[in-house]
């Protein structure tokens, strides 16, 4: 089963509204990252939150992390049509002598103009 | 902006043929990852290199897949022989080691179709 699972699987909103995506995971993590993927393109890193942080902001993005609940959320405020994409959470955990990154299944966001 | 470059962008071939996908990581990055993305399985890690040495290829079917880094500017992923179930988008990503607190930079992928 997936280490990171996002919900909802798909989200459709109007331009200007906020979009919230959630990610749950199973094991202890070093950090959690969010990525965006536009159709036909590779993933683009958005934001990283460390396991000892609770909230982080970057422009219109706000990420929270609750390690007691093993969950994170990504909030995009004042959404734009250009935010239409798939969003993935990636959990980074220690594995062997290094680190392993496991991506969730993603949330497909559609922002209507 | 520095980018990860993958070639070819698209590949269509018949089953049984050898497929080679190439990746040029960002200059100075010392970690390289190969992923496979499908609708059913999502994004799966196939192989992971650090300083050109393979650290983890447990996600890769060993009988037909092989991954190498002949030098710091080139990573390759080969499938021989290819099968229809290998049809997917294959991504390469590169990054820096740093206690795991480093983002991965993805190429735009190779879309592979095996007929």
């Amino acid at each position: 089963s997936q280490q990171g699972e996002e919900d909802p699987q798909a989200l459709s909103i109007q331009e200007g509204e906020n979009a919230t995506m959630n990610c749950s995971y199973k094991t202890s993590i070093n950090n959690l990252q969010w990525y965006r993927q536009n159709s036909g393109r590779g993933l683009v890193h958005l934001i990283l939150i460390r396991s000892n942080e609770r909230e982080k902001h970057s422009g219109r993005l706000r990420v929270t992390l609750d390690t007691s609940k093993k969950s994170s959320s990504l909030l995009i405020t004042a959404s734009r049509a250009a935010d239409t994409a798939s969003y993935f959470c990636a959990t980074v955990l220690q594995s062997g002598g290094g680190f392993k990154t496991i991506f969730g299944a993603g949330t497909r966001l559609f922002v209507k103009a | 902006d520095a980018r990860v470059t993958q070639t070819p962008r698209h590949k269509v071939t018949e089953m049984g043929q050898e497929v080679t996908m190439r990746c040029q990581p960002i200059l100075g990055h010392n970690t390289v990852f190969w992923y496979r993305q499908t609708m059913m399985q999502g994004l799966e890690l196939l192989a992971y290199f650090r300083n050109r040495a393979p650290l983890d290829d447990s996600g890769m079917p060993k009988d037909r897949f092989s991954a190498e880094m002949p030098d710091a500017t080139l990573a390759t992923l080969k499938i021989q022989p290819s099968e229809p179930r290998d049809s997917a988008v294959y991504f390469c990503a590169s990054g820096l080691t740093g206690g795991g607190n480093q983002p991965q930079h993805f190429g735009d992928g190779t879309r592979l179709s095996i007929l």
Side-chain angles (χ1 to χ4, degrees), chain A residues 55-66:
Chain A
E55 188 170 313
K56 207 159 180 184
H57 297 253
S58 176
R60 293 183 297 113
L61 305 180
R62 173 179 168 247
V63 169
T64 62
L65 179 65
D66 187 333

Side-chain angles (χ1 to χ4, degrees), chain A residues 2 30-31 33 35 37 40-45 48 50 88 92 95 97-101 103-105 108, chain B residues 3 9 33 35 37 39 41-43 45 48 50 56 58 91 99-108 111:
Chain A
Q2 302 262 16
N30 176 278
N31 66 76
Q33 302 177 25
Y35 288 78
Q37 184 179 31
R41 304 298 299 273
L43 279 71
V44 174
H45 181 261
L48 180 154
R50 298 173 191 242
F88 296 86
V92 180
S95 175
F99 294 87
K100 190 166 188 173
T101 303
F103 287 85
R108 296 182 68 178
Chain B
R3 304 185 67 175
R9 287 297 315 278
F33 307 82
Y35 292 92
Q37 186 176 42
M39 289 295 292
Q41 299 297 325
L43 202 62
L45 177 67
Y48 162 35
R50 186 199 301 164
D56 184 355
S58 58
F91 288 102
N101 291 321
Q102 293 292 331
Q104 294 181 25
H105 299 261
F106 282 73
D108 283 334
R111 185 174 294 273

Side-chain angles (χ1 to χ4, degrees), chain A residues 58-87:
Chain A
S58 176
R60 293 183 297 113
L61 305 180
R62 173 179 168 247
V63 169
T64 62
L65 179 65
D66 187 333
T67 52
S68 66
K69 294 181 179 177
K70 292 187 169 57
S71 67
S72 173
S73 68
L74 171 68
L75 168 68
I76 303 174
T77 59
S79 64
R80 305 166 182 168
D83 295 328
T84 294
S86 292
Y87 291 82

Side-chain angles (χ1 to χ4, degrees), chain B residues 5-26:
Chain B
T5 303
Q6 289 187 248
T7 57
R9 287 297 315 278
H10 300 90
K11 176 76 175 179
V12 180
T13 191
E14 294 186 344
M15 66 178 292
Q17 297 298 306
E18 177 178 300
V19 174
T20 299
M21 290 168 272
R22 293 177 174 79
C23 167
Q24 181 176 358
I26 291 173

Side-chain angles (χ1 to χ4, degrees), chain A residues 23-40:
Chain A
C23 171
S24 60
Y25 57 92
K26 294 182 170 62
T27 63
S28 295
I29 59 172
N30 176 278
N31 66 76
L32 186 145
Q33 302 177 25
W34 285 90
Y35 288 78
R36 182 185 74 206
Q37 184 179 31
N38 288 85
S39 180

